PDB file of all heavy atoms in Angstrom:
ATOM      1  N   ASN A  20      81.277 102.413 124.278  1.00  0.00           N
ATOM      2  CA  ASN A  20      81.891 101.185 124.783  1.00  0.00           C
ATOM      3  C   ASN A  20      81.300 100.014 123.994  1.00  0.00           C
ATOM      4  O   ASN A  20      80.088  99.889 123.890  1.00  0.00           O
ATOM      5  CB  ASN A  20      81.587 101.040 126.280  1.00  0.00           C
ATOM      6  CG  ASN A  20      82.515 100.037 126.941  1.00  0.00           C
ATOM      7  OD1 ASN A  20      83.717 100.054 126.722  1.00  0.00           O
ATOM      8  ND2 ASN A  20      81.941  99.151 127.748  1.00  0.00           N
ATOM      9  N   LEU A  21      82.171  99.176 123.406  1.00  0.00           N
ATOM     10  CA  LEU A  21      81.690  98.092 122.550  1.00  0.00           C
ATOM     11  C   LEU A  21      82.088  96.729 123.089  1.00  0.00           C
ATOM     12  O   LEU A  21      83.180  96.563 123.653  1.00  0.00           O
ATOM     13  CB  LEU A  21      82.282  98.241 121.127  1.00  0.00           C
ATOM     14  CG  LEU A  21      81.901  99.480 120.321  1.00  0.00           C
ATOM     15  CD1 LEU A  21      82.648  99.482 118.987  1.00  0.00           C
ATOM     16  CD2 LEU A  21      80.396  99.563 120.091  1.00  0.00           C
ATOM     17  N   HIS A  22      81.189  95.766 122.903  1.00  0.00           N
ATOM     18  CA  HIS A  22      81.527  94.350 123.099  1.00  0.00           C
ATOM     19  C   HIS A  22      81.464  93.710 121.710  1.00  0.00           C
ATOM     20  O   HIS A  22      80.448  93.833 121.025  1.00  0.00           O
ATOM     21  CB  HIS A  22      80.528  93.663 124.036  1.00  0.00           C
ATOM     22  CG  HIS A  22      80.703  94.053 125.458  1.00  0.00           C
ATOM     23  ND1 HIS A  22      80.053  93.407 126.503  1.00  0.00           N
ATOM     24  CD2 HIS A  22      81.445  95.026 126.043  1.00  0.00           C
ATOM     25  CE1 HIS A  22      80.401  93.966 127.658  1.00  0.00           C
ATOM     26  NE2 HIS A  22      81.222  94.960 127.399  1.00  0.00           N
ATOM     27  N   ILE A  23      82.537  93.045 121.308  1.00  0.00           N
ATOM     28  CA  ILE A  23      82.535  92.414 119.988  1.00  0.00           C
ATOM     29  C   ILE A  23      82.885  90.929 120.112  1.00  0.00           C
ATOM     30  O   ILE A  23      83.524  90.505 121.076  1.00  0.00           O
ATOM     31  CB  ILE A  23      83.521  93.094 119.008  1.00  0.00           C
ATOM     32  CG1 ILE A  23      84.979  92.808 119.397  1.00  0.00           C
ATOM     33  CG2 ILE A  23      83.279  94.591 118.930  1.00  0.00           C
ATOM     34  CD1 ILE A  23      85.996  93.182 118.312  1.00  0.00           C
ATOM     35  N   GLU A  24      82.432  90.167 119.119  1.00  0.00           N
ATOM     36  CA  GLU A  24      82.787  88.751 119.008  1.00  0.00           C
ATOM     37  C   GLU A  24      83.812  88.601 117.892  1.00  0.00           C
ATOM     38  O   GLU A  24      83.582  89.059 116.763  1.00  0.00           O
ATOM     39  CB  GLU A  24      81.549  87.915 118.690  1.00  0.00           C
ATOM     40  CG  GLU A  24      81.842  86.419 118.585  1.00  0.00           C
ATOM     41  CD  GLU A  24      80.599  85.623 118.212  1.00  0.00           C
ATOM     42  OE1 GLU A  24      79.766  86.171 117.442  1.00  0.00           O
ATOM     43  OE2 GLU A  24      80.468  84.489 118.666  1.00  0.00           O
ATOM     44  N   VAL A  25      84.945  87.982 118.194  1.00  0.00           N
ATOM     45  CA  VAL A  25      86.038  87.857 117.226  1.00  0.00           C
ATOM     46  C   VAL A  25      85.619  86.955 116.069  1.00  0.00           C
ATOM     47  O   VAL A  25      85.159  85.825 116.285  1.00  0.00           O
ATOM     48  CB  VAL A  25      87.311  87.284 117.901  1.00  0.00           C
ATOM     49  CG1 VAL A  25      88.406  87.052 116.866  1.00  0.00           C
ATOM     50  CG2 VAL A  25      87.803  88.237 118.981  1.00  0.00           C
ATOM     51  N   SER A  26      85.785  87.456 114.841  1.00  0.00           N
ATOM     52  CA  SER A  26      85.402  86.666 113.659  1.00  0.00           C
ATOM     53  C   SER A  26      86.597  86.324 112.759  1.00  0.00           C
ATOM     54  O   SER A  26      86.482  85.473 111.880  1.00  0.00           O
ATOM     55  CB  SER A  26      84.366  87.434 112.833  1.00  0.00           C
ATOM     56  OG  SER A  26      84.894  88.676 112.396  1.00  0.00           O
ATOM     57  N   ALA A  27      87.728  86.990 112.958  1.00  0.00           N
ATOM     58  CA  ALA A  27      88.925  86.685 112.162  1.00  0.00           C
ATOM     59  C   ALA A  27      90.155  87.074 112.947  1.00  0.00           C
ATOM     60  O   ALA A  27      90.165  88.070 113.676  1.00  0.00           O
ATOM     61  CB  ALA A  27      88.893  87.427 110.818  1.00  0.00           C
ATOM     62  N   LEU A  28      91.214  86.268 112.789  1.00  0.00           N
ATOM     63  CA  LEU A  28      92.456  86.491 113.526  1.00  0.00           C
ATOM     64  C   LEU A  28      93.658  86.358 112.600  1.00  0.00           C
ATOM     65  O   LEU A  28      93.583  85.708 111.547  1.00  0.00           O
ATOM     66  CB  LEU A  28      92.593  85.475 114.666  1.00  0.00           C
ATOM     67  CG  LEU A  28      91.646  85.624 115.851  1.00  0.00           C
ATOM     68  CD1 LEU A  28      91.693  84.358 116.710  1.00  0.00           C
ATOM     69  CD2 LEU A  28      92.022  86.839 116.698  1.00  0.00           C
ATOM     70  N   GLY A  29      94.777  86.933 113.016  1.00  0.00           N
ATOM     71  CA  GLY A  29      96.047  86.730 112.315  1.00  0.00           C
ATOM     72  C   GLY A  29      95.981  87.083 110.849  1.00  0.00           C
ATOM     73  O   GLY A  29      95.545  88.149 110.439  1.00  0.00           O
ATOM     74  N   GLY A  30      96.393  86.123 110.015  1.00  0.00           N
ATOM     75  CA  GLY A  30      96.473  86.350 108.574  1.00  0.00           C
ATOM     76  C   GLY A  30      95.126  86.437 107.895  1.00  0.00           C
ATOM     77  O   GLY A  30      95.052  86.767 106.713  1.00  0.00           O
ATOM     78  N   GLU A  31      94.032  86.135 108.627  1.00  0.00           N
ATOM     79  CA  GLU A  31      92.694  86.177 108.026  1.00  0.00           C
ATOM     80  C   GLU A  31      92.024  87.532 108.186  1.00  0.00           C
ATOM     81  O   GLU A  31      90.935  87.752 107.637  1.00  0.00           O
ATOM     82  CB  GLU A  31      91.804  85.094 108.668  1.00  0.00           C
ATOM     83  CG  GLU A  31      92.338  83.676 108.535  1.00  0.00           C
ATOM     84  CD  GLU A  31      92.569  83.290 107.091  1.00  0.00           C
ATOM     85  OE1 GLU A  31      91.686  83.557 106.250  1.00  0.00           O
ATOM     86  OE2 GLU A  31      93.648  82.741 106.779  1.00  0.00           O
ATOM     87  N   THR A  32      92.615  88.452 108.922  1.00  0.00           N
ATOM     88  CA  THR A  32      91.982  89.752 109.138  1.00  0.00           C
ATOM     89  C   THR A  32      92.083  90.617 107.885  1.00  0.00           C
ATOM     90  O   THR A  32      92.923  90.389 107.012  1.00  0.00           O
ATOM     91  CB  THR A  32      92.632  90.496 110.318  1.00  0.00           C
ATOM     92  OG1 THR A  32      94.007  90.747 109.999  1.00  0.00           O
ATOM     93  CG2 THR A  32      92.547  89.681 111.601  1.00  0.00           C
ATOM     94  N   VAL A  33      91.222  91.619 107.811  1.00  0.00           N
ATOM     95  CA  VAL A  33      91.231  92.546 106.679  1.00  0.00           C
ATOM     96  C   VAL A  33      92.570  93.277 106.604  1.00  0.00           C
ATOM     97  O   VAL A  33      93.156  93.430 105.519  1.00  0.00           O
ATOM     98  CB  VAL A  33      90.071  93.562 106.805  1.00  0.00           C
ATOM     99  CG1 VAL A  33      90.197  94.659 105.747  1.00  0.00           C
ATOM    100  CG2 VAL A  33      88.728  92.860 106.695  1.00  0.00           C
ATOM    101  N   LEU A  34      93.089  93.718 107.753  1.00  0.00           N
ATOM    102  CA  LEU A  34      94.359  94.440 107.785  1.00  0.00           C
ATOM    103  C   LEU A  34      95.501  93.564 107.268  1.00  0.00           C
ATOM    104  O   LEU A  34      96.331  94.018 106.467  1.00  0.00           O
ATOM    105  CB  LEU A  34      94.656  94.911 109.214  1.00  0.00           C
ATOM    106  CG  LEU A  34      95.927  95.737 109.413  1.00  0.00           C
ATOM    107  CD1 LEU A  34      95.902  96.987 108.557  1.00  0.00           C
ATOM    108  CD2 LEU A  34      96.096  96.106 110.884  1.00  0.00           C
ATOM    109  N   ALA A  35      95.540  92.293 107.704  1.00  0.00           N
ATOM    110  CA  ALA A  35      96.574  91.374 107.228  1.00  0.00           C
ATOM    111  C   ALA A  35      96.449  91.164 105.725  1.00  0.00           C
ATOM    112  O   ALA A  35      97.456  91.052 105.014  1.00  0.00           O
ATOM    113  CB  ALA A  35      96.472  90.038 107.961  1.00  0.00           C
ATOM    114  N   GLY A  36      95.204  91.116 105.228  1.00  0.00           N
ATOM    115  CA  GLY A  36      94.990  90.963 103.791  1.00  0.00           C
ATOM    116  C   GLY A  36      95.512  92.151 103.005  1.00  0.00           C
ATOM    117  O   GLY A  36      96.123  91.990 101.935  1.00  0.00           O
ATOM    118  N   ILE A  37      95.301  93.361 103.524  1.00  0.00           N
ATOM    119  CA  ILE A  37      95.809  94.572 102.869  1.00  0.00           C
ATOM    120  C   ILE A  37      97.328  94.524 102.811  1.00  0.00           C
ATOM    121  O   ILE A  37      97.940  94.771 101.763  1.00  0.00           O
ATOM    122  CB  ILE A  37      95.344  95.839 103.622  1.00  0.00           C
ATOM    123  CG1 ILE A  37      93.830  96.007 103.499  1.00  0.00           C
ATOM    124  CG2 ILE A  37      96.056  97.077 103.082  1.00  0.00           C
ATOM    125  CD1 ILE A  37      93.270  97.110 104.356  1.00  0.00           C
ATOM    126  N   ILE A  38      97.968  94.197 103.945  1.00  0.00           N
ATOM    127  CA  ILE A  38      99.433  94.139 104.017  1.00  0.00           C
ATOM    128  C   ILE A  38      99.967  93.100 103.030  1.00  0.00           C
ATOM    129  O   ILE A  38     100.938  93.342 102.310  1.00  0.00           O
ATOM    130  CB  ILE A  38      99.882  93.817 105.462  1.00  0.00           C
ATOM    131  CG1 ILE A  38      99.552  94.989 106.382  1.00  0.00           C
ATOM    132  CG2 ILE A  38     101.375  93.500 105.507  1.00  0.00           C
ATOM    133  CD1 ILE A  38      99.773  94.706 107.859  1.00  0.00           C
ATOM    134  N   ARG A  39      99.293  91.941 102.969  1.00  0.00           N
ATOM    135  CA  ARG A  39      99.733  90.867 102.074  1.00  0.00           C
ATOM    136  C   ARG A  39      99.625  91.296 100.606  1.00  0.00           C
ATOM    137  O   ARG A  39     100.525  91.040  99.802  1.00  0.00           O
ATOM    138  CB  ARG A  39      98.905  89.616 102.328  1.00  0.00           C
ATOM    139  CG  ARG A  39      99.396  88.362 101.618  1.00  0.00           C
ATOM    140  CD  ARG A  39      98.800  87.114 102.232  1.00  0.00           C
ATOM    141  NE  ARG A  39      97.341  87.165 102.273  1.00  0.00           N
ATOM    142  CZ  ARG A  39      96.622  87.256 103.408  1.00  0.00           C
ATOM    143  NH1 ARG A  39      97.234  87.301 104.580  1.00  0.00           N
ATOM    144  NH2 ARG A  39      95.301  87.300 103.378  1.00  0.00           N
ATOM    145  N   LEU A  40      98.541  91.973 100.251  1.00  0.00           N
ATOM    146  CA  LEU A  40      98.357  92.440  98.874  1.00  0.00           C
ATOM    147  C   LEU A  40      99.416  93.460  98.479  1.00  0.00           C
ATOM    148  O   LEU A  40      99.950  93.419  97.368  1.00  0.00           O
ATOM    149  CB  LEU A  40      96.959  93.051  98.711  1.00  0.00           C
ATOM    150  CG  LEU A  40      95.784  92.071  98.644  1.00  0.00           C
ATOM    151  CD1 LEU A  40      94.463  92.821  98.711  1.00  0.00           C
ATOM    152  CD2 LEU A  40      95.851  91.239  97.375  1.00  0.00           C
ATOM    153  N   VAL A  41      99.718  94.384  99.401  1.00  0.00           N
ATOM    154  CA  VAL A  41     100.733  95.408  99.103  1.00  0.00           C
ATOM    155  C   VAL A  41     102.104  94.760  98.957  1.00  0.00           C
ATOM    156  O   VAL A  41     102.876  95.100  98.052  1.00  0.00           O
ATOM    157  CB  VAL A  41     100.750  96.496 100.197  1.00  0.00           C
ATOM    158  CG1 VAL A  41     101.883  97.490  99.945  1.00  0.00           C
ATOM    159  CG2 VAL A  41      99.425  97.231 100.242  1.00  0.00           C
ATOM    160  N   GLU A  42     102.420  93.790  99.838  1.00  0.00           N
ATOM    161  CA  GLU A  42     103.706  93.088  99.746  1.00  0.00           C
ATOM    162  C   GLU A  42     103.824  92.334  98.427  1.00  0.00           C
ATOM    163  O   GLU A  42     104.872  92.348  97.776  1.00  0.00           O
ATOM    164  CB  GLU A  42     103.856  92.126 100.927  1.00  0.00           C
ATOM    165  CG  GLU A  42     104.184  92.815 102.235  1.00  0.00           C
ATOM    166  CD  GLU A  42     104.213  91.848 103.413  1.00  0.00           C
ATOM    167  OE1 GLU A  42     103.597  90.757 103.306  1.00  0.00           O
ATOM    168  OE2 GLU A  42     104.838  92.177 104.420  1.00  0.00           O
ATOM    169  N   ASP A  43     102.733  91.673  98.022  1.00  0.00           N
ATOM    170  CA  ASP A  43     102.740  90.935  96.754  1.00  0.00           C
ATOM    171  C   ASP A  43     102.938  91.887  95.576  1.00  0.00           C
ATOM    172  O   ASP A  43     103.684  91.593  94.635  1.00  0.00           O
ATOM    173  CB  ASP A  43     101.430  90.155  96.576  1.00  0.00           C
ATOM    174  CG  ASP A  43     101.320  88.981  97.548  1.00  0.00           C
ATOM    175  OD1 ASP A  43     102.356  88.626  98.151  1.00  0.00           O
ATOM    176  OD2 ASP A  43     100.211  88.448  97.707  1.00  0.00           O
ATOM    177  N   ALA A  44     102.251  93.022  95.634  1.00  0.00           N
ATOM    178  CA  ALA A  44     102.372  94.002  94.554  1.00  0.00           C
ATOM    179  C   ALA A  44     103.785  94.557  94.476  1.00  0.00           C
ATOM    180  O   ALA A  44     104.322  94.786  93.393  1.00  0.00           O
ATOM    181  CB  ALA A  44     101.371  95.141  94.767  1.00  0.00           C
ATOM    182  N   GLN A  45     104.408  94.745  95.651  1.00  0.00           N
ATOM    183  CA  GLN A  45     105.760  95.301  95.683  1.00  0.00           C
ATOM    184  C   GLN A  45     106.779  94.292  95.175  1.00  0.00           C
ATOM    185  O   GLN A  45     107.758  94.656  94.521  1.00  0.00           O
ATOM    186  CB  GLN A  45     106.106  95.715  97.117  1.00  0.00           C
ATOM    187  CG  GLN A  45     107.324  96.611  97.225  1.00  0.00           C
ATOM    188  CD  GLN A  45     107.566  97.071  98.642  1.00  0.00           C
ATOM    189  OE1 GLN A  45     107.138  96.430  99.591  1.00  0.00           O
ATOM    190  NE2 GLN A  45     108.261  98.170  98.801  1.00  0.00           N
ATOM    191  N   ALA A  46     106.533  93.013  95.443  1.00  0.00           N
ATOM    192  CA  ALA A  46     107.502  91.978  95.065  1.00  0.00           C
ATOM    193  C   ALA A  46     107.386  91.597  93.597  1.00  0.00           C
ATOM    194  O   ALA A  46     108.357  91.130  92.992  1.00  0.00           O
ATOM    195  CB  ALA A  46     107.290  90.732  95.929  1.00  0.00           C
ATOM    196  N   SER A  47     106.212  91.800  93.019  1.00  0.00           N
ATOM    197  CA  SER A  47     106.010  91.377  91.631  1.00  0.00           C
ATOM    198  C   SER A  47     106.222  92.546  90.681  1.00  0.00           C
ATOM    199  O   SER A  47     106.135  93.701  91.066  1.00  0.00           O
ATOM    200  CB  SER A  47     104.603  90.814  91.457  1.00  0.00           C
ATOM    201  OG  SER A  47     103.645  91.819  91.715  1.00  0.00           O
ATOM    202  N   LYS A  48     106.501  92.206  89.435  1.00  0.00           N
ATOM    203  CA  LYS A  48     106.661  93.239  88.412  1.00  0.00           C
ATOM    204  C   LYS A  48     105.298  93.606  87.824  1.00  0.00           C
ATOM    205  O   LYS A  48     104.427  92.756  87.694  1.00  0.00           O
ATOM    206  CB  LYS A  48     107.571  92.734  87.285  1.00  0.00           C
ATOM    207  CG  LYS A  48     109.040  92.657  87.669  1.00  0.00           C
ATOM    208  CD  LYS A  48     109.888  92.357  86.446  1.00  0.00           C
ATOM    209  CE  LYS A  48     111.379  92.387  86.805  1.00  0.00           C
ATOM    210  NZ  LYS A  48     112.223  92.155  85.622  1.00  0.00           N
ATOM    211  N   ALA A  49     105.161  94.865  87.462  1.00  0.00           N
ATOM    212  CA  ALA A  49     103.935  95.300  86.790  1.00  0.00           C
ATOM    213  C   ALA A  49     103.849  94.616  85.432  1.00  0.00           C
ATOM    214  O   ALA A  49     104.879  94.288  84.835  1.00  0.00           O
ATOM    215  CB  ALA A  49     103.957  96.816  86.621  1.00  0.00           C
ATOM    216  N   PRO A  50     102.632  94.397  84.928  1.00  0.00           N
ATOM    217  CA  PRO A  50     102.489  93.740  83.615  1.00  0.00           C
ATOM    218  C   PRO A  50     103.290  94.438  82.516  1.00  0.00           C
ATOM    219  O   PRO A  50     103.875  93.772  81.664  1.00  0.00           O
ATOM    220  CB  PRO A  50     100.979  93.836  83.358  1.00  0.00           C
ATOM    221  CG  PRO A  50     100.362  93.887  84.719  1.00  0.00           C
ATOM    222  CD  PRO A  50     101.341  94.628  85.581  1.00  0.00           C
ATOM    223  N   ILE A  51     103.353  95.767  82.556  1.00  0.00           N
ATOM    224  CA  ILE A  51     104.092  96.484  81.508  1.00  0.00           C
ATOM    225  C   ILE A  51     105.587  96.181  81.609  1.00  0.00           C
ATOM    226  O   ILE A  51     106.279  96.075  80.593  1.00  0.00           O
ATOM    227  CB  ILE A  51     103.813  98.007  81.577  1.00  0.00           C
ATOM    228  CG1 ILE A  51     104.420  98.737  80.379  1.00  0.00           C
ATOM    229  CG2 ILE A  51     104.346  98.602  82.873  1.00  0.00           C
ATOM    230  CD1 ILE A  51     103.797  98.383  79.074  1.00  0.00           C
ATOM    231  N   GLN A  52     106.095  95.999  82.853  1.00  0.00           N
ATOM    232  CA  GLN A  52     107.511  95.658  83.023  1.00  0.00           C
ATOM    233  C   GLN A  52     107.803  94.265  82.481  1.00  0.00           C
ATOM    234  O   GLN A  52     108.833  94.034  81.847  1.00  0.00           O
ATOM    235  CB  GLN A  52     107.895  95.726  84.502  1.00  0.00           C
ATOM    236  CG  GLN A  52     108.272  97.117  84.971  1.00  0.00           C
ATOM    237  CD  GLN A  52     108.764  97.086  86.402  1.00  0.00           C
ATOM    238  OE1 GLN A  52     108.035  96.721  87.315  1.00  0.00           O
ATOM    239  NE2 GLN A  52     110.004  97.458  86.614  1.00  0.00           N
ATOM    240  N   GLN A  53     106.893  93.332  82.740  1.00  0.00           N
ATOM    241  CA  GLN A  53     107.063  91.966  82.223  1.00  0.00           C
ATOM    242  C   GLN A  53     107.062  91.977  80.694  1.00  0.00           C
ATOM    243  O   GLN A  53     107.846  91.265  80.069  1.00  0.00           O
ATOM    244  CB  GLN A  53     105.941  91.078  82.756  1.00  0.00           C
ATOM    245  CG  GLN A  53     106.007  90.875  84.273  1.00  0.00           C
ATOM    246  CD  GLN A  53     104.801  90.136  84.811  1.00  0.00           C
ATOM    247  OE1 GLN A  53     103.810  89.961  84.111  1.00  0.00           O
ATOM    248  NE2 GLN A  53     104.867  89.711  86.060  1.00  0.00           N
ATOM    249  N   LEU A  54     106.190  92.809  80.125  1.00  0.00           N
ATOM    250  CA  LEU A  54     106.125  92.917  78.668  1.00  0.00           C
ATOM    251  C   LEU A  54     107.437  93.490  78.117  1.00  0.00           C
ATOM    252  O   LEU A  54     107.979  92.987  77.127  1.00  0.00           O
ATOM    253  CB  LEU A  54     104.946  93.805  78.256  1.00  0.00           C
ATOM    254  CG  LEU A  54     104.783  94.074  76.760  1.00  0.00           C
ATOM    255  CD1 LEU A  54     104.533  92.771  76.007  1.00  0.00           C
ATOM    256  CD2 LEU A  54     103.647  95.058  76.504  1.00  0.00           C
ATOM    257  N   VAL A  55     107.949  94.530  78.780  1.00  0.00           N
ATOM    258  CA  VAL A  55     109.209  95.148  78.341  1.00  0.00           C
ATOM    259  C   VAL A  55     110.353  94.144  78.411  1.00  0.00           C
ATOM    260  O   VAL A  55     111.195  94.077  77.506  1.00  0.00           O
ATOM    261  CB  VAL A  55     109.522  96.402  79.199  1.00  0.00           C
ATOM    262  CG1 VAL A  55     110.958  96.866  78.969  1.00  0.00           C
ATOM    263  CG2 VAL A  55     108.556  97.528  78.854  1.00  0.00           C
ATOM    264  N   ASP A  56     110.389  93.347  79.485  1.00  0.00           N
ATOM    265  CA  ASP A  56     111.445  92.340  79.621  1.00  0.00           C
ATOM    266  C   ASP A  56     111.384  91.322  78.484  1.00  0.00           C
ATOM    267  O   ASP A  56     112.412  90.925  77.932  1.00  0.00           O
ATOM    268  CB  ASP A  56     111.331  91.620  80.974  1.00  0.00           C
ATOM    269  CG  ASP A  56     111.804  92.492  82.127  1.00  0.00           C
ATOM    270  OD1 ASP A  56     112.471  93.512  81.847  1.00  0.00           O
ATOM    271  OD2 ASP A  56     111.498  92.178  83.284  1.00  0.00           O
ATOM    272  N   ARG A  57     110.163  90.893  78.137  1.00  0.00           N
ATOM    273  CA  ARG A  57     110.012  89.916  77.053  1.00  0.00           C
ATOM    274  C   ARG A  57     110.438  90.520  75.718  1.00  0.00           C
ATOM    275  O   ARG A  57     111.115  89.868  74.916  1.00  0.00           O
ATOM    276  CB  ARG A  57     108.557  89.429  76.977  1.00  0.00           C
ATOM    277  CG  ARG A  57     108.167  88.472  78.084  1.00  0.00           C
ATOM    278  CD  ARG A  57     106.952  87.649  77.704  1.00  0.00           C
ATOM    279  NE  ARG A  57     105.788  88.490  77.418  1.00  0.00           N
ATOM    280  CZ  ARG A  57     104.918  88.904  78.345  1.00  0.00           C
ATOM    281  NH1 ARG A  57     105.106  88.557  79.614  1.00  0.00           N
ATOM    282  NH2 ARG A  57     103.890  89.656  78.009  1.00  0.00           N
ATOM    283  N   ILE A  58     110.036  91.776  75.505  1.00  0.00           N
ATOM    284  CA  ILE A  58     110.410  92.454  74.253  1.00  0.00           C
ATOM    285  C   ILE A  58     111.924  92.645  74.184  1.00  0.00           C
ATOM    286  O   ILE A  58     112.536  92.463  73.129  1.00  0.00           O
ATOM    287  CB  ILE A  58     109.674  93.808  74.133  1.00  0.00           C
ATOM    288  CG1 ILE A  58     108.175  93.571  73.922  1.00  0.00           C
ATOM    289  CG2 ILE A  58     110.249  94.649  72.998  1.00  0.00           C
ATOM    290  CD1 ILE A  58     107.336  94.818  73.977  1.00  0.00           C
ATOM    291  N   SER A  59     112.544  93.023  75.337  1.00  0.00           N
ATOM    292  CA  SER A  59     113.981  93.306  75.361  1.00  0.00           C
ATOM    293  C   SER A  59     114.804  92.096  74.927  1.00  0.00           C
ATOM    294  O   SER A  59     115.830  92.248  74.266  1.00  0.00           O
ATOM    295  CB  SER A  59     114.413  93.746  76.764  1.00  0.00           C
ATOM    296  OG  SER A  59     113.872  95.004  77.074  1.00  0.00           O
ATOM    297  N   ARG A  60     114.353  90.902  75.314  1.00  0.00           N
ATOM    298  CA  ARG A  60     115.106  89.696  74.963  1.00  0.00           C
ATOM    299  C   ARG A  60     115.206  89.522  73.451  1.00  0.00           C
ATOM    300  O   ARG A  60     116.170  88.956  72.943  1.00  0.00           O
ATOM    301  CB  ARG A  60     114.457  88.467  75.615  1.00  0.00           C
ATOM    302  CG  ARG A  60     114.752  88.345  77.096  1.00  0.00           C
ATOM    303  CD  ARG A  60     114.406  86.971  77.620  1.00  0.00           C
ATOM    304  NE  ARG A  60     112.963  86.826  77.798  1.00  0.00           N
ATOM    305  CZ  ARG A  60     112.319  87.144  78.916  1.00  0.00           C
ATOM    306  NH1 ARG A  60     112.984  87.638  79.945  1.00  0.00           N
ATOM    307  NH2 ARG A  60     111.013  86.974  79.013  1.00  0.00           N
ATOM    308  N   ILE A  61     114.187  90.019  72.730  1.00  0.00           N
ATOM    309  CA  ILE A  61     114.211  89.951  71.262  1.00  0.00           C
ATOM    310  C   ILE A  61     114.755  91.258  70.682  1.00  0.00           C
ATOM    311  O   ILE A  61     115.539  91.263  69.741  1.00  0.00           O
ATOM    312  CB  ILE A  61     112.786  89.692  70.715  1.00  0.00           C
ATOM    313  CG1 ILE A  61     112.204  88.423  71.348  1.00  0.00           C
ATOM    314  CG2 ILE A  61     112.779  89.607  69.206  1.00  0.00           C
ATOM    315  CD1 ILE A  61     110.722  88.276  71.178  1.00  0.00           C
ATOM    316  N   PHE A  62     114.327  92.354  71.288  1.00  0.00           N
ATOM    317  CA  PHE A  62     114.620  93.684  70.758  1.00  0.00           C
ATOM    318  C   PHE A  62     116.117  93.992  70.741  1.00  0.00           C
ATOM    319  O   PHE A  62     116.644  94.520  69.759  1.00  0.00           O
ATOM    320  CB  PHE A  62     113.871  94.707  71.621  1.00  0.00           C
ATOM    321  CG  PHE A  62     113.998  96.132  71.166  1.00  0.00           C
ATOM    322  CD1 PHE A  62     113.410  96.543  69.985  1.00  0.00           C
ATOM    323  CD2 PHE A  62     114.690  97.059  71.920  1.00  0.00           C
ATOM    324  CE1 PHE A  62     113.500  97.862  69.573  1.00  0.00           C
ATOM    325  CE2 PHE A  62     114.798  98.377  71.512  1.00  0.00           C
ATOM    326  CZ  PHE A  62     114.192  98.775  70.335  1.00  0.00           C
ATOM    327  N   VAL A  63     116.811  93.663  71.838  1.00  0.00           N
ATOM    328  CA  VAL A  63     118.228  94.018  71.949  1.00  0.00           C
ATOM    329  C   VAL A  63     119.077  93.358  70.855  1.00  0.00           C
ATOM    330  O   VAL A  63     119.782  94.055  70.127  1.00  0.00           O
ATOM    331  CB  VAL A  63     118.773  93.679  73.365  1.00  0.00           C
ATOM    332  CG1 VAL A  63     120.276  93.879  73.425  1.00  0.00           C
ATOM    333  CG2 VAL A  63     118.085  94.548  74.402  1.00  0.00           C
ATOM    334  N   PRO A  64     119.020  92.031  70.699  1.00  0.00           N
ATOM    335  CA  PRO A  64     119.830  91.441  69.621  1.00  0.00           C
ATOM    336  C   PRO A  64     119.405  91.912  68.229  1.00  0.00           C
ATOM    337  O   PRO A  64     120.251  92.058  67.339  1.00  0.00           O
ATOM    338  CB  PRO A  64     119.611  89.932  69.777  1.00  0.00           C
ATOM    339  CG  PRO A  64     118.431  89.773  70.650  1.00  0.00           C
ATOM    340  CD  PRO A  64     118.364  90.979  71.509  1.00  0.00           C
TER     341      PRO A  64
END
């Protein structure tokens, strides 16, 4: 049985931070994809 003192809530918790990082990673392109996109703009023509 534990008694704890709250030190972080909502978006400041570790779990919220993990979720936010995964969402950011999912929404953004990997560096290699960004590189391919830049190359394609020159490579295709």
Side-chain angles (χ1 to χ4, degrees):
N20 197 45
L21 296 177
H22 286 190
I23 71 167
E24 181 182 34
V25 175
S26 60
L28 290 166
E31 302 303 314
T32 63
V33 171
L34 182 58
I37 293 172
I38 292 172
R39 189 163 55 248
L40 285 171
V41 175
E42 285 175 338
D43 290 346
Q45 194 176 24
S47 63
K48 287 189 176 182
I51 188 66
Q52 275 185 298
Q53 294 173 348
L54 177 62
V55 167
D56 285 345
R57 286 201 300 272
I58 291 172
S59 292
R60 284 194 283 271
I61 304 165
F62 183 68
V63 173

